[in-house]
Amino acid sequence: MENIYLLMIVALGVLAIADLVVGVSNDAVNFLNSAIGSKAVSFKSIMIIASLGVAIGAIFSSGMMEVARKGIFNPSEFMFSEIMIIFMAVMITDILLLDFFNTIGMPTSTTVSIVFELLGASVAIALIKIGHDGGSFLDLVTYINTSKATQIIVGILLSVVIAFSVGAAVQWVTRLLLSYNFIKKAKWVGALFGGVAISSISYFIFIKGIGGTSFAEESYAILDGLTISHYLENHVLFILLGSFIFWTAISYLYIAVLKLNIYKLIIIVGTFALALAFAGNDLVNFIGVPIAAWQSYQVWSTSGIPADQFSMEVLAEAVRTPTLLLFISGMVMIATLWFSSKAKAVVKTSIDLSSENATTKERFQPNFLSRGLVRTAVGISYVFNSIIPGKAQEKIDKRFEKPTIALNKDKKYELPAFDMVRAAVNLMVASVLISIATSMKLPLSTTYVTFMVAMGTSLADRAWGAESAVYRVAGVLNVIGGWFFTAFIAFISAAIIAYLINLHVPSMVGILLLIALILLIRNYLKLNKKKKELKAEHQLIRAESSSIQGVIHESAKNISNAIKRVNKIYTGAINGLSKQDHLALKQNKKQVDKLGNEIDELRDNIFYFIKNLDDSSVAASNFYINILGYLQDMTQSLEYISKVSYKHVNNNHKKLKFNQIKELKQIDSLFENLFNKTQKAFETSSFEEIGNILSEKETLYKEITEKIQKQVERTRTEEVSPKNTTLYFSLLLETKDLLTATMNLLEEYYHAHDGTSISTIINESTSPEEE
């Protein structure tokens, strides 16, 4: 039996490496979002700073299994064999749960996940023991520290509410004092802000980043025999005051003498601090359990006592990690930071929700809760506006007035999601709140604090305007819901897996590890496939040219792309209907929705497109608007065709008759020829071909009309299925509308590319006097 436990230790070691990867991918949002969102420094510089923080934090990590030390379960009540089952269940659950959140790009708490996994697995094993011994459910308190789960839940609620509220309040006051013209403020203003921010962050480094390390618990003569942790706790005001004076002076010299931007320095120091604290404290969430299992195995293997009789009191002591393992873990974490696409996806979610750019694509759909909260907030704002004097309100509004930024002609350039003041406030407030909670021994999640501070500062900074508020609030509610989902699923899943392993350890461990491997590979391949599809598909591109010639050229790429996808979707609908394949039709519906969303997004950006036009090319807006209108008409026809086809098959109605399928295939063949010619014309810029394509218009209309007439005759003589008749007519009529929209689009483009027509359009945009 000893061999199986050795194999379990090896498996736990492999899971620890994988857990490091998925854990860092999720927690990178904690320290990267402010720096990346503000574009204070280059992305490469941000990654180097964060990597340095992670490396130092990992090497000087306490290496203690924090969750075991806090007593989620009572180790003395469990035997070695039971502890190994708990640890294996925890690691399998943790890696799958975090990978799931990374795949969907949502930040969650690694601390909460590991705590509730330990709780769930230990409760399952405890209940098995109680049942075996003939005890009662009340005996569970002997095995489990029930107060810990309550503390964690309270910590979640407190961190969500307090972080959001404090972040919003501090950002509002800061913006009121500094406005958006913070760079032009007097040097002493920047120096004071730098003093407050950097002293807060530096104190955070000591209390959270270094305070939890092993040497911080040792006594030092220079500190009157106190440990660093105790000294920090006993001299808070003295340390903060001294630090504030020191950093204010340094900030003034930094601004006045070196002529450098103090806000960039704050963001750099803050990013380093959070990365340091993350690696120094949260590392145990990923490797703490495997290390505890390994050291438990070492003690048991030398004891000579059977595994099911060896009590695990040893876990009540601090479990330290060898420095070499900490170094290796740090390197894995740094590599993940640089190469994990899932980490970038999680960071992007946080940045998009806090972005003040109106062009940011909204990922979340509004729901009744987000609409209700926004309406309530609007009502409250009306009340406050009626109380505050008009002149005072005008002055406040002026402080929050965003500067006009000249459009950058470089299409690869993206505006910062928010400015450096908000980024600095994010880092400062998060550092202060985490430091206070740590010094007070309150359980909280750094992920929850950093995320909710960012959301609070976004609200106070008026980044959530009337056109984005419902989407942003819906996003925040989704993320918060995911946090509670983490706790619930972690508990249930770990309990189930622990129960399964307990049935037969050797076989169930192998089966569950295989299932975990398959799921991880499946998620990886699915994500890669999605990326390749997006890359091959080339999403519709927003027009950015400021002249009509440029718009015509850019829109040609969109038309080629759209026509290719329209062709694929239409053929997919006909094939799915002929084969009665409801899964293929369901997938086809998703493709239509995706195309429709992209066209809607282009239409949403018409405002910014028109703003970007040259004075001499305003007429290009008419052309661009018409093109988008015709693309939308085509998509609406496809949506209807896909919807009725899927509904017919999904409801198990009678299959279309052979002649009906044959006729639809004939039309599909004609359309495929039309679409292929159109796509080729736009791809190769052979615009003279559009005229030849338009000449086929009457032939295609005639073909559809004949098919409609044939169905009328069949209905009168032989058709017996009302559902089939309704579906067939619907398909033909909507195909006719699709053809109309396609031909209108081609005519619009053909006339615009005619030399005389272009001249006419350009002349129309000039004044009569100029003519």
Side-chain angles (χ1 to χ4, degrees):
M1 193 67 181
E2 183 175 350
N3 289 335
I4 184 60
Y5 292 120
L6 182 59
L7 290 174
M8 288 174 75
I9 293 297
V10 173
L12 284 169
V14 175
L15 288 174
I17 296 172
D19 206 34
L20 273 171
V21 173
V22 296
V24 173
S25 296
N26 197 282
D27 279 4
V29 68
N30 296 351
F31 49 89
L32 291 181
N33 60 348
S34 293
I36 293 175
S38 64
K39 293 184 179 288
V41 291
S42 67
F43 180 76
K44 187 176 181 181
S45 299
I46 293 167
M47 296 301 288
I48 291 172
I49 293 162
S51 299
L52 186 62
V54 167
I56 295 173
I59 293 171
F60 289 99
S61 171
S62 63
M64 293 181 179
M65 194 176 76
E66 189 174 342
V67 288
R69 190 168 70 245
K70 289 182 177 178
I72 296 298
F73 57 84
N74 298 320
S76 59
E77 299 295 328
F78 293 93
M79 302 301 132
F80 173 71
S81 59
E82 296 161 345
I83 283 292
M84 289 300 292
I85 292 173
I86 291 173
F87 287 161
M88 182 60 71
V90 166
M91 291 305 293
I92 292 174
T93 305
D94 198 56
I95 193 172
L96 291 177
L97 184 64
L98 293 181
D99 186 66
F100 167 74
F101 274 95
N102 294 343
T103 302
I104 62 175
M106 297 274 276
T108 192
S109 171
T110 54
T111 302
V112 169
S113 64
I114 202 79
V115 165
F116 277 90
E117 284 152 7
L118 277 166
L119 188 62
S122 54
V123 164
I125 298 301
L127 289 176
I128 291 171
K129 286 171 67 71
I130 291 169
H132 184 267
D133 297 337
S136 69
F137 184 77
L138 296 176
D139 294 335
L140 191 62
V141 294
T142 306
Y143 298 88
I144 307 298
N145 187 345
T146 52
S147 64
K148 181 54 61 179
T150 305
Q151 282 185 324
I152 294 294
I153 293 293
V154 171
I156 292 173
L157 294 172
L158 285 175
S159 60
V160 167
V161 176
I162 294 175
F164 185 85
S165 305
V166 174
V170 173
Q171 178 61 34
W172 191 87
V173 172
T174 303
R175 186 65 72 193
L176 192 65
L177 295 174
L178 296 178
S179 76
Y180 278 91
N181 295 318
F182 52 92
I183 297 295
K184 296 179 181 179
K185 294 291 179 183
K187 295 180 178 63
W188 66 267
V189 174
L192 279 176
F193 185 80
V196 172
I198 301 179
S199 59
S200 301
I201 293 169
S202 59
Y203 182 72
F204 166 75
I205 291 175
F206 284 106
I207 195 75
K208 184 69 175 170
I210 297 176
T213 59
S214 55
F215 70 83
E217 299 301 323
E218 297 178 9
S219 298
Y220 296 91
I222 58 173
L223 301 179
D224 297 327
L226 293 173
T227 64
I228 288 179
S229 295
H230 286 120
Y231 188 84
L232 291 172
E233 292 170 8
N234 296 337
H235 299 81
V236 175
L237 292 178
F238 173 75
I239 293 170
L240 286 177
L241 182 60
S243 180
F244 169 71
I245 294 171
F246 173 77
W247 284 116
T248 300
I250 293 295
S251 299
Y252 188 83
L253 293 174
Y254 193 82
I255 298 169
V257 179
L258 299 179
K259 309 292 184 184
L260 295 174
N261 188 335
I262 190 62
Y263 300 95
K264 285 188 179 182
L265 179 63
I266 295 168
I267 293 166
I268 290 170
V269 174
T271 301
F272 172 81
L274 285 174
L276 174 75
F278 158 70
N281 292 270
D282 288 0
L283 177 60
V284 293
N285 294 341
F286 316 126
I287 67 171
V289 167
I291 291 298
W294 171 50
Q295 296 186 338
S296 298
Y297 174 79
Q298 285 183 315
V299 176
W300 167 76
S301 61
T302 59
S303 69
I305 302 173
D308 58 356
Q309 297 176 23
F310 185 76
S311 181
M312 293 306 302
E313 293 94 343
V314 67
L315 283 183
E317 303 172 8
V319 181
R320 296 189 176 278
T321 307
T323 304
L324 178 61
L325 289 180
L326 292 175
F327 174 77
I328 294 171
S329 300
M331 294 304 101
V332 172
M333 294 165 83
I334 291 170
T336 303
L337 268 184
W338 282 88
F339 301 111
S340 173
S341 57
K342 290 184 178 180
K344 295 179 179 68
V346 178
V347 172
K348 188 177 186 303
T349 299
S350 178
I351 291 174
D352 285 350
L353 286 174
S354 56
S355 175
E356 63 188 24
N357 296 332
T359 55
T360 300
K361 184 177 180 180
E362 302 297 348
R363 174 179 165 185
F364 298 93
Q365 292 302 312
N367 51 52
F368 75 95
L369 274 176
S370 68
R371 294 188 185 101
L373 287 171
V374 170
R375 288 193 189 101
T376 303
V378 170
I380 293 171
S381 69
Y382 282 141
V383 173
F384 275 100
N385 289 340
S386 63
I387 295 172
I388 299 173
K391 289 185 179 180
Q393 186 64 49
E394 287 177 12
K395 287 183 179 180
I396 292 171
D397 290 341
K398 195 170 183 180
R399 307 297 285 179
F400 284 83
E401 189 177 307
K402 296 178 179 65
T404 303
I405 301 174
L407 290 168
N408 193 305
K409 299 299 180 182
D410 182 3
K411 295 179 184 178
K412 293 183 179 179
Y413 176 79
E414 292 182 8
L415 287 172
F418 39 81
D419 69 354
M420 285 183 279
V421 166
R422 176 136 58 101
V425 170
N426 284 344
L427 294 165
M428 176 179 65
V429 174
S431 297
V432 169
L433 291 177
I434 295 169
S435 299
I436 292 171
T438 301
S439 63
M440 295 175 66
K441 312 298 183 187
L442 295 175
L444 57 69
S445 165
T446 52
T447 302
Y448 297 169
V449 172
T450 52
F451 179 83
M452 291 310 297
V453 166
M455 296 305 103
T457 58
S458 303
L459 176 65
D461 222 19
R462 302 185 181 181
W464 298 353
E467 297 184 7
S468 63
V470 288
Y471 305 99
R472 305 290 175 85
V473 173
V476 173
L477 292 174
N478 272 275
V479 173
I480 294 173
W483 296 345
F484 287 96
F485 174 80
T486 299
F488 177 75
I489 293 300
F491 182 90
I492 297 297
S493 301
I496 292 172
I497 291 176
Y499 171 76
L500 292 174
I501 294 175
N502 184 71
L503 294 177
H504 191 264
V505 175
S507 58
M508 291 310 300
V509 166
I511 292 169
L512 289 169
L513 286 174
L514 180 62
I515 292 172
L517 181 63
I518 291 170
L519 289 174
L520 289 172
I521 293 173
R522 177 179 170 272
N523 284 346
Y524 175 79
L525 294 176
K526 191 175 180 181
L527 190 66
N528 267 9
K529 183 182 178 183
K530 189 176 180 181
K531 285 181 186 174
K532 287 177 182 178
E533 286 176 353
L534 288 174
K535 192 174 182 181
E537 201 172 65
H538 299 300
Q539 289 187 327
L540 302 186
I541 303 167
R542 177 165 59 96
E544 294 178 343
S545 293
S546 57
S547 65
I548 189 167
Q549 291 89 346
V551 173
I552 289 170
H553 178 72
E554 285 184 356
S555 62
K557 296 176 185 177
N558 274 346
I559 290 171
S560 173
N561 180 7
I563 290 295
K564 178 182 177 181
R565 293 162 69 180
V566 166
N567 187 9
K568 182 180 177 182
I569 291 167
Y570 186 79
T571 300
I574 301 303
N575 288 341
L577 198 56
S578 65
K579 297 174 184 177
Q580 292 286 95
D581 189 343
H582 76 283
L583 292 176
L585 289 170
K586 186 176 182 180
Q587 186 61 34
N588 212 50
K589 277 183 65 184
K590 291 180 180 178
Q591 294 300 317
V592 181
D593 291 340
K594 188 174 184 301
L595 179 60
N597 289 335
E598 289 179 31
I599 293 172
D600 287 343
E601 191 179 340
L602 294 181
R603 290 175 69 88
D604 290 342
N605 280 288
I606 285 176
F607 171 84
Y608 305 99
F609 163 71
I610 294 173
K611 285 279 189 182
N612 191 32
L613 285 173
D614 292 338
D615 291 339
S616 60
S617 303
V618 176
S621 60
N622 294 326
F623 170 76
Y624 186 57
I625 291 168
N626 289 340
I627 288 295
L628 292 182
Y630 295 136
L631 285 174
Q632 190 172 50
D633 290 343
M634 293 169 68
T635 307
Q636 287 173 347
S637 294
L638 287 174
E639 283 176 351
Y640 184 80
I641 290 170
S642 296
K643 184 182 74 173
V644 296
S645 300
Y646 174 73
K647 182 180 177 182
H648 186 87
V649 173
N650 198 42
N651 288 339
N652 297 310
H653 294 316
K654 283 186 179 180
K655 186 177 180 180
L656 291 179
K657 291 188 175 181
F658 175 79
N659 286 337
Q660 292 173 322
I661 295 294
K662 181 181 177 183
E663 290 169 4
L664 287 174
K665 291 274 190 181
Q666 289 171 352
I667 292 175
D668 179 44
S669 179
L670 292 172
F671 267 68
E672 188 167 1
N673 182 50
L674 166 70
F675 290 141
N676 285 336
K677 286 181 180 178
T678 303
Q679 183 188 343
K680 186 177 179 181
F682 284 105
E683 278 182 351
T684 59
S685 299
S686 304
F687 301 116
E688 65 278 0
E689 283 297 317
I690 296 177
N692 297 330
I693 297 170
L694 286 170
S695 65
E696 302 175 12
K697 177 179 177 180
E698 293 304 322
T699 303
L700 291 166
Y701 273 121
K702 185 178 178 182
E703 190 70 27
I704 297 172
T705 303
E706 287 178 358
K707 298 290 188 287
I708 292 174
Q709 188 57 40
K710 283 184 180 180
Q711 181 59 29
V712 170
E713 293 172 3
R714 277 196 296 264
T715 303
R716 289 175 60 83
T717 58
E718 59 187 72
E719 188 62 73
V720 293
S721 172
K723 296 290 185 185
N724 277 16
T725 302
T726 301
L727 174 65
Y728 194 68
F729 278 132
S730 297
L731 292 173
L732 291 178
L733 291 172
E734 208 59 48
T735 297
K736 199 171 185 179
D737 289 345
L738 174 62
L739 178 61
T740 300
T742 304
M743 289 301 173
N744 287 340
L745 184 146
L746 291 175
E747 286 174 358
E748 183 78 27
Y749 209 92
Y750 182 68
H751 293 318
H753 270 84
D754 181 85
T756 308
S757 297
I758 289 178
S759 301
T760 304
I761 292 172
I762 293 174
N763 289 334
E764 285 176 356
S765 68
T766 60
S767 63
E769 290 78 12
E770 288 175 331
E771 291 177 348

